[in-house]
Amino acid sequence: QLIMKVGGYAVSSIANSMGIETPLEGYPAIGLGGLTTGVSPLEVCNSFATIASYGKKHEPIGILRIVDKDGTILEEAEPQETQVITPINAYRAIEIMQQVMQRGTGTRAKLTDRPCAGKTGTTDEAEHAWFTGFTPNLVACVWMGYPEVNKEMGIIHEMRVQGGAHPAMIWKLFMERATIN
């Protein structure tokens, strides 16, 4: 109902400003991920990073710094940030995504040693399954599916493939190692 009040094209525009570069249609189903053309995991990570940084969008950077053998910095990226959604709206989104991991579909991804938030996603026929989440300093996305064809994944290791199952567990395993202090 909210999508109908705001409008699918407004949602599409906000998603594009947050880091989704794929052209999105403004259909009401966009609120549920109903897209004709899917988005990449990098785009999803970038948009979640915008939320995690309280509405500030940063362009993805592949190499942060180049250092020679003596430790001298030869090149260093200068990340630019743009406030694309209000901090309070980002905070509200973070609160909602924290609940996904506390008591929703993403409980298998919950980290016990730090704040985290995320979102699961599964297409109607379980052809694609996602989990994207973040801590205060790292965003990661797990996608499962067949890259060249839409094919139901069914059951793997005695468990139906869904965003809150395999991708969430993979995300947790990765984040437990990647966020070690």
Side-chain angles (χ1 to χ4, degrees), residues 93-169:
I94 292 167
E95 283 187 317
I96 291 166
M97 288 190 276
Q98 285 174 326
Q99 293 304 308
V100 167
M101 295 175 86
Q102 293 292 327
R103 60 181 64 84
T105 55
T107 56
R108 288 184 176 113
K110 184 177 183 253
L111 301 173
T112 57
D113 65 338
R114 67 193 65 236
C116 55
K119 180 70 183 85
T120 64
T122 309
T123 57
D124 288 342
E125 302 299 325
E127 297 162 337
H128 304 275
W130 297 74
F131 186 84
T132 306
F134 54 89
T135 64
N137 62 345
L138 183 63
V139 178
C141 176
V142 176
W143 168 82
M144 288 181 67
Y146 293 91
E148 302 301 325
V149 64
N150 287 332
K151 179 180 173 184
E152 183 177 353
M153 288 180 279
I155 297 174
I156 299 175
H157 297 295
E158 300 178 9
M159 191 181 332
R160 180 162 299 286
V161 176
Q162 296 177 322
H166 300 79
M169 292 185 292

Side-chain angles (χ1 to χ4, degrees), residues 41-53 117-118 131-142 171 174-175 178-179:
L42 178 60
E43 290 175 280
V44 173
C45 276
N46 197 17
S47 64
F48 274 58
T50 299
I51 295 168
S53 65
F131 186 84
T132 306
F134 54 89
T135 64
N137 62 345
L138 183 63
V139 178
C141 176
V142 176
W171 184 90
F174 169 77
M175 292 297 278
T179 58

Side-chain angles (χ1 to χ4, degrees), residues 9-60:
Y9 290 102
V11 172
S12 173
S13 176
I14 291 168
N16 287 145
S17 71
M18 291 174 58
I20 303 293
E21 295 180 1
T22 299
L24 303 173
E25 304 85 8
Y27 305 130
I30 193 172
L32 297 171
L35 306 173
T36 304
T37 304
V39 298
S40 74
L42 178 60
E43 290 175 280
V44 173
C45 276
N46 197 17
S47 64
F48 274 58
T50 299
I51 295 168
S53 65
Y54 293 93
K56 293 178 184 166
K57 179 180 178 258
H58 302 87
E59 291 299 322

